Amino acid sequence: NAGVMQNPRHLVRRRGQEARLRCSPMKGHSHVYWYRQLPEEGLKFMVYLQKENIIDESGMPKERFSAEFPKEGPSILRIQQVVRGDSAAYFCASSRGQNTDTQYFGPGTRLTVL
Amino acid sequence: QKEVEQDPGPLSVPEGAIVSLNCTYSNSAFQYFMWYRQYSRKGPELLMYTYSSGNKEDGRFTAQVDKSSKYISLFIRDSQPSDSATYLCAMRDNYGQNFVFGPGTRLSVLP
């Protein structure tokens, strides 16, 4: 039973380029969460999605960031026109349901913006 | 005041010691409490999950929740070098869709 999968594990972009981060939830999980972790800081919630729906995007920056979870395929976190401050580890988590279910994390994508 | 606070450490203990990791929080509506362990450059892995107040034990790990004091703890008995990691507490209320994480405490268990 594969866990949460994320790719790429490492991503290097130059300022102004686009970054696409992918997340495949655990089998049987239909809820996906994206978090950002800066060095020496805790996880900061960004967005919560179910298939084809954004449920809560209160943690997403208003510009340049978007997320989707299509009916088929992985969830994608997209960062347009990246800046150096976007450099961080981005973690995806999934759960079977909401409310009482716990979240299981993927290994993360480390984004470096040059 | 941050919503969830943890002593950032680092905390260094000798092998075999009992470790106490703690979080305090400000939102009295939090009902679900988790502890995650995160090794360097890895994703967090769930260690313990408790609902409301009380204790929960799993092997060498014990989680305690004191809602009256807004204080949760994770105890590690007979600590091992393999326990060296960052420990994150997380919590949420009955209605929130997402968890609020503490900043993490870095633990080093020295052989």
Side-chain angles (χ1 to χ4, degrees), chain A residues 79-91:
Chain A
I79 311 172
Q80 295 178 291
Q81 299 174 338
V82 295
V83 300
R84 289 220 173 100
D86 297 332
S87 295
Y90 291 84
F91 290 96

Side-chain angles (χ1 to χ4, degrees), chain A residues 8-15 17-19 21 79 82-90 109-114, chain B residues 41:
Chain A
R9 295 292 307 276
H10 301 274
L11 182 61
V12 178
R13 286 288 178 266
R14 296 190 182 279
R15 281 180 297 171
Q17 290 184 320
E18 178 180 287
L21 289 62
I79 311 172
V82 295
V83 300
R84 289 220 173 100
D86 297 332
S87 295
Y90 291 84
T109 294
R110 276 157 186 83
L111 172 65
T112 301
V113 179
L114 301 177
Chain B
R41 309 189 79 76

